[in-house]
Amino acid sequence: MTVAGREGKPATRRRRGLRRPPEGGRRRGRLLAGLGVTTAALLALHRFVPNTPGRLGSLLETFLFWFGPLTALLLLCAAVRRARTALLLLLLPAGVWAAAFGPPLLPAGPPGPRELTVVQHNVADDNADPGGTAGALADSGADLIALQELVAPASAVYRRELASRYPHHAVRGTVGLWSRHPLGAARALDIRPRDVTEPWQRALRAEVRTPYGEVAAYVVHLPSVRLGPGGLASARRDESARLLGGILAEEPSERVVLAGDLNGTVEDRGLAPLTSRLAAPDRGLALSYPAALPVARIDHVLARGGRVPAIRVLPATGSDHLPVLARVTLNTDT
């Protein structure tokens, strides 16, 4: 029997607007909420993600920046579905991401005193236009230009094209440094992984006599990493980073600038032997690789005895990397 309401309509029909949301909608809301909590946990606690098997921790840290766009997409989905709990929980990863990556996205301040500009570029060993690449880098007006993957005959082209504006240079193996300021002693550094038997020289140290005092300049190219079924293959890179970190620990100069293709982001724990001793840029995203669609900055300028107020990318060259230009403010001599 149907019970009538006051208007004479069945009560079941009068209450139709009060029905609970479909079960599918509630499940989607719970899924979004769960994703929000998980994303916040990974952003805040990524150091606790184990690196075995497959260097999972390093792989996660390589792409931490992209958790921001992912969170924005989840927030949009939650808003469309009016999932209030999910919206509130998704504010957690949004806040954690903003704290980690928000400051680098802010505008940089004006140039300060005792400032050097440094260009870092992996020019690629198959670059079809080394002359054009050299000209573009020289047009940046940087004080120092650090290059990797210098191979014959292109290496001679870089020497020739940069000579007029950068009269001081040092090349060791496949890495080189060009400078507007005089260079002192330059030497190769041994950061070769133990299982590499072929000729391999991918790091140098040179003394730069700047107007603000002497600076130890490092140019490095750490081993490549590969992503495959077994995860992130970064053992060689991590070994070279540890060797270089040991050299930096014994570096007598108080002011150091390191420029290089480190094949990892500054968040990657595999680069901790370097990032624990050197300051990363304060401002600038500067995604540098791959040049066609950059997803990560693996080309870096780091400093000790100073800071790196800003870094930015330069226009593409014939390389699969984008060049980056950093401002380095040096401390006064002590």
Side-chain angles (χ1 to χ4, degrees):
M1 182 177 66
T2 301
V3 180
R6 281 180 297 180
E7 291 83 8
K9 297 180 180 178
T12 52
R13 292 180 59 189
R14 187 162 48 89
R15 297 190 184 99
R16 185 172 298 169
L18 302 178
R19 287 187 304 177
R20 299 173 64 186
E23 184 62 28
R26 293 198 300 273
R27 283 199 299 268
R28 285 189 287 271
R30 289 195 294 267
L31 175 60
L32 290 170
L35 288 172
V37 172
T38 302
T39 302
L42 289 174
L43 277 167
L45 306 173
H46 59 88
R47 293 297 182 193
F48 296 96
V49 176
N51 224 15
T52 54
R55 295 291 203 279
L56 291 179
S58 285
L59 180 60
L60 169 66
E61 289 157 354
T62 298
F63 297 105
L64 276 181
F65 170 80
W66 294 102
F67 278 54
L70 172 62
T71 300
L73 178 61
L74 294 175
L75 279 167
L76 178 62
C77 292
V80 169
R81 298 191 177 281
R82 300 180 181 179
R84 296 180 181 179
T85 301
L87 278 170
L88 290 173
L89 289 175
L90 283 165
L91 293 178
L92 291 173
V96 176
W97 184 91
F101 294 99
L105 298 178
L106 296 174
R114 303 179 306 279
E115 189 164 281
L116 297 175
T117 51
V118 182
V119 162
Q120 150 59 31
H121 192 29
N122 180 329
V123 295
D125 56 11
D126 60 352
N127 190 324
D129 185 20
T133 297
L137 300 180
D139 288 343
S140 71
D143 294 290
L144 302 175
I145 296 178
L147 303 182
Q148 298 82 40
E149 295 199 12
L150 294 171
V151 296
S155 182
V157 177
Y158 291 107
R159 294 174 193 256
R160 183 179 67 249
E161 295 296 325
L162 293 172
S164 61
R165 284 182 276 185
Y166 295 87
H168 313 284
H169 79 277
V171 175
R172 298 294 184 272
T174 59
V175 299
L177 176 68
W178 276 260
S179 173
R180 292 184 179 276
H181 310 299
L183 297 181
R187 60 184 174 89
L189 303 174
D190 185 8
I191 60 169
R192 179 171 57 178
R194 287 168 294 181
D195 64 345
V196 175
T197 57
E198 66 270 15
W200 198 93
Q201 199 171 95
R202 293 168 59 163
L204 68 79
R205 177 196 183 274
E207 296 172 0
V208 185
R209 296 167 184 155
T210 79
Y212 321 113
E214 192 169 281
V215 175
Y218 285 69
V219 182
V220 300
H221 185 190
L222 296 187
S224 299
V225 300
R226 295 289 183 268
L227 182 61
L232 191 70
S234 63
R236 284 182 171 181
R237 184 210 58 188
D238 295 351
E239 183 180 353
S240 284
R242 288 192 296 270
L243 292 170
L244 184 56
I247 294 171
L248 287 169
E250 298 177 358
E251 168 60 54
S253 177
E254 293 186 1
R255 301 195 296 188
V256 175
V257 173
L258 183 149
D261 174 2
L262 304 184
N263 273 302
T265 65
V266 291
E267 292 80 24
D268 188 335
R269 70 191 67 179
L271 299 183
L274 310 181
T275 54
S276 63
R277 294 180 170 91
L278 303 169
D282 298 328
R283 298 287 185 269
L285 188 55
L287 303 179
S288 65
Y289 184 83
L293 185 64
V295 297
R297 183 170 81 232
I298 64 174
D299 296 275
H300 299 280
V301 177
L302 311 175
R304 185 177 82 189
R307 50 187 288 265
V308 187
I311 189 169
R312 62 184 175 88
V313 295
L314 297 177
T317 66
S319 172
D320 57 344
H321 292 241
L322 293 176
V324 299
L325 183 147
R327 292 164 39 199
V328 179
T329 301
L330 301 171
N331 294 344
T332 56
D333 287 321
T334 56

